[in-house]
Coordinates of all heavy atoms in Angstrom, one line a residue:
D85 N 11.8 8.3 -16.4 CA 13.0 8.9 -16.0 C 13.2 8.7 -14.5 O 12.3 9.1 -13.7 CB 13.0 10.3 -16.4 CG 13.2 10.5 -17.8 OD1 13.4 9.6 -18.6 OD2 13.1 11.7 -18.3
V86 N 14.5 8.3 -14.1 CA 14.6 7.9 -12.7 C 15.9 8.5 -12.3 O 16.8 9.0 -13.3 CB 14.6 6.4 -12.3 CG1 13.2 5.9 -12.6 CG2 15.6 5.7 -13.2
A87 N 16.4 8.4 -11.0 CA 17.7 8.8 -10.6 C 18.3 7.7 -9.8 O 17.6 7.0 -9.1 CB 17.5 10.1 -9.6
I88 N 19.6 7.7 -10.0 CA 20.4 6.5 -9.3 C 21.6 7.3 -8.5 O 22.0 8.3 -9.0 CB 20.8 5.5 -10.2 CG1 21.9 6.0 -11.2 CG2 19.8 4.7 -10.7 CD1 22.6 5.0 -12.0
R89 N 22.0 6.7 -7.5 CA 23.2 7.3 -6.7 C 24.2 6.1 -6.9 O 24.1 5.0 -6.5 CB 23.0 7.4 -5.3 CG 24.0 7.9 -4.4 CD 24.3 9.2 -4.5 NE 23.3 10.2 -4.2 CZ 23.5 11.5 -4.4 NH1 24.5 11.9 -5.0 NH2 22.3 12.3 -4.1
R90 N 25.3 6.5 -7.7 CA 26.3 5.5 -7.9 C 27.2 5.2 -6.7 O 27.1 6.1 -5.7 CB 27.2 5.9 -9.0 CG 26.5 5.9 -10.4 CD 27.4 6.7 -11.4 NE 28.7 6.5 -11.4 CZ 29.5 6.3 -12.4 NH1 28.9 6.4 -13.6 NH2 30.8 6.3 -12.2
R91 N 27.8 4.2 -6.6 CA 28.7 3.9 -5.5 C 29.8 5.1 -5.1 O 30.1 5.3 -4.0 CB 29.5 2.5 -5.5 CG 28.4 1.3 -5.5 CD 29.1 0.1 -5.7 NE 28.3 -1.0 -5.8 CZ 28.5 -2.2 -6.3 NH1 29.8 -2.4 -6.6 NH2 27.7 -3.1 -6.3
D92 N 30.1 5.8 -6.3 CA 31.1 6.9 -6.0 C 30.5 8.0 -5.6 O 31.2 9.0 -5.4 CB 31.9 7.0 -7.2 CG 31.1 7.5 -8.4 OD1 29.8 7.8 -8.3 OD2 31.6 7.5 -9.6
G93 N 29.2 8.1 -5.4 CA 28.4 9.2 -4.8 C 27.7 10.0 -5.8 O 27.0 11.0 -5.5
A94 N 28.1 9.8 -7.1 CA 27.5 10.6 -8.2 C 26.2 10.3 -8.4 O 25.7 9.2 -8.5 CB 28.4 10.3 -9.5
L95 N 25.3 11.3 -8.5 CA 23.8 11.2 -9.0 C 23.7 11.3 -10.3 O 24.2 12.3 -11.0 CB 23.0 12.5 -8.2 CG 21.6 12.4 -8.3 CD1 20.9 11.2 -7.6 CD2 20.9 13.6 -7.7
R96 N 23.2 10.3 -11.0 CA 22.9 10.2 -12.4 C 21.3 10.2 -12.6 O 20.5 9.5 -11.9 CB 23.6 9.0 -13.1 CG 25.1 8.9 -12.7 CD 25.8 10.0 -13.1 NE 25.8 10.2 -14.5 CZ 26.3 11.3 -15.1 NH1 26.9 12.3 -14.4 NH2 26.4 11.5 -16.4
K97 N 20.9 10.8 -13.8 CA 19.5 10.6 -14.2 C 19.5 9.6 -15.4 O 20.3 9.6 -16.2 CB 18.9 12.0 -14.6 CG 18.8 12.8 -13.4 CD 18.1 14.3 -13.9 CE 18.2 15.1 -12.6 NZ 17.8 16.5 -13.0
M98 N 18.5 8.8 -15.4 CA 18.5 7.7 -16.3 C 17.1 7.6 -16.9 O 16.1 7.7 -16.2 CB 18.9 6.4 -15.5 CG 18.9 5.1 -16.4 SD 19.5 3.7 -15.5 CE 18.4 3.7 -14.1
R99 N 17.0 7.3 -18.2 CA 15.8 7.0 -18.8 C 15.7 5.4 -19.1 O 16.7 4.9 -19.6 CB 15.8 7.8 -20.3 CG 14.4 7.5 -20.9 CD 14.0 8.4 -21.9 NE 13.9 9.8 -21.2 CZ 14.6 10.9 -21.7 NH1 15.3 11.0 -22.7 NH2 14.3 12.2 -20.9

Side-chain angles (χ1 to χ4, degrees):
D85 286 352
V86 294
I88 59 170
R89 176 80 56 194
R90 293 168 38 138
R91 291 180 186 163
D92 64 6
L95 183 66
R96 306 303 299 174
K97 293 180 184 173
M98 175 176 63
R99 182 156 299 131

